[in-house]
Amino acid sequence: MRKILFLTWSLLSTVCFGQEAASDSLSALRSDSAALASETFSTENAGEVGKAEADSAYMKNDYTSAIQIYETLLNKGEAAEIYYNLGNCYFKTGDIAKAILNYERALLLQPGNSDIRANLEIARSKTIDKVEPAPEIFFVTWANDLANSMSERAWSILSIAFFLSFIAALYFFIFSRQVVVKKMGFFAGLVCFVLVILANVFAAQQKNKLIQRDKAIIMNPSVTVHSTPSEGGTELFVLHEGSKVRIKDNSMKEWKEIQLEDGKVGWVPAVTIEVI
């Protein structure tokens, strides 16, 4: 009985930790688009009016005005919907780099949104550089795809549901007098236990993406990647606007070491990239 109580307490601590982490990151980010009106902007009515004006400008093909309003709204707080609409505006004006940047930011807040992902892929198809990701084990790919199917908040809520299911299964396992029910409670509890752990791991993974922000987009029409952080370094290759990179070394102000999805590394001027 003590072991069961200890296991329950351990799981509860894990879930609480996951929810506390989620709460902290949500506070820092203000919201995801599911709570756009209530959490993103300091004044609900002002935010709604501003968004309505931007949406109206977009529908009238006045993309310049829409961009200005959306950018102003984002100064008050992040929201996936605003980033998505802003990305659409930049795409319509032919600014592929900024379109990709804003689609990527929207996807950080709503990783499971199929519309954002579809538009991002369309924008990427317009870029010059076609970088093939380094091959990885199928299980890693599957796990990443599963983690990216929902936001941190959604995984956190799901972990609570799995934990409550685990408690219910544990109750039947302990107190039921029927052997069949006990067995069902045991196996159901075991499955829920695994799901609680996975949900919290995926929530933590999504939180790290939101906090680290180590991905960036090349914003210049073209940039030469050097072997060292100086113009005198050996020229390795050239990247064009819209390419996605990972910032490998962020210790210098003027230069950043980047890594491509295919594993290539090099140094670029900090002004040529913008962090997602």
Side-chain angles (χ1 to χ4, degrees), residues 26-169:
L26 285 171
S27 177
L29 292 167
R30 295 189 180 92
S31 76
D32 59 13
S33 66
L36 177 62
S38 61
E39 297 177 11
T40 302
F41 307 118
S42 57
T43 304
E44 180 177 359
N45 291 337
E48 286 298 322
V49 171
K51 182 179 179 301
E53 291 178 355
D55 292 343
S56 177
Y58 178 85
M59 295 299 294
K60 295 176 182 178
N61 298 330
D62 185 3
Y63 303 121
T64 301
S65 298
I67 288 172
Q68 292 176 348
I69 299 173
Y70 285 136
E71 294 280 12
T72 301
L73 291 175
L74 286 172
N75 290 332
K76 302 176 183 179
E78 290 187 306
E81 184 179 354
I82 303 301
Y83 279 130
Y84 175 68
N85 291 346
L86 185 57
N88 289 337
C89 288
Y90 278 122
F91 186 83
K92 291 291 187 179
T93 60
D95 195 335
I96 300 301
K98 287 189 177 181
I100 291 175
L101 176 68
N102 284 282
Y103 287 146
E104 289 280 7
R105 287 173 174 172
L107 204 60
L108 271 180
L109 300 178
Q110 284 192 356
N113 190 305
S114 59
D115 291 334
I116 297 174
R117 196 172 295 277
N119 282 20
L120 175 58
E121 290 303 317
I122 293 173
R124 281 177 176 171
S125 69
K126 303 294 184 180
T127 60
I128 297 175
D129 303 317
K130 307 301 179 185
V131 180
E132 293 294 332
E136 58 186 10
I137 303 174
F138 78 93
F139 178 79
V140 175
T141 302
W142 175 82
N144 289 333
D145 289 343
L146 182 59
N148 292 330
S149 64
M150 292 192 294
S151 66
E152 175 199 11
R153 183 176 184 177
W155 280 117
S156 299
I157 294 174
L158 197 60
S159 71
I160 294 176
F162 287 143
F163 179 75
L164 294 176
S165 298
F166 168 78
I167 295 299

Side-chain angles (χ1 to χ4, degrees), residues 122-218:
I122 293 173
R124 281 177 176 171
S125 69
K126 303 294 184 180
T127 60
I128 297 175
D129 303 317
K130 307 301 179 185
V131 180
E132 293 294 332
E136 58 186 10
I137 303 174
F138 78 93
F139 178 79
V140 175
T141 302
W142 175 82
N144 289 333
D145 289 343
L146 182 59
N148 292 330
S149 64
M150 292 192 294
S151 66
E152 175 199 11
R153 183 176 184 177
W155 280 117
S156 299
I157 294 174
L158 197 60
S159 71
I160 294 176
F162 287 143
F163 179 75
L164 294 176
S165 298
F166 168 78
I167 295 299
L170 195 64
Y171 174 85
F172 286 109
F173 173 70
I174 295 173
F175 297 105
S176 179
R177 296 182 180 180
Q178 300 181 17
V179 176
V180 174
V181 176
K182 278 184 172 292
K183 288 183 177 181
M184 291 178 61
F186 173 79
F187 288 110
L190 186 61
V191 170
C192 290
F193 172 81
V194 173
L195 293 176
V196 167
I197 300 301
L198 287 177
N200 277 278
V201 169
F202 291 155
Q205 183 176 333
Q206 294 300 320
K207 176 190 173 183
N208 289 336
K209 289 183 179 180
L210 292 168
I211 293 177
Q212 289 177 358
R213 298 293 178 105
D214 62 348
K215 302 294 193 304
I217 301 298
I218 300 292

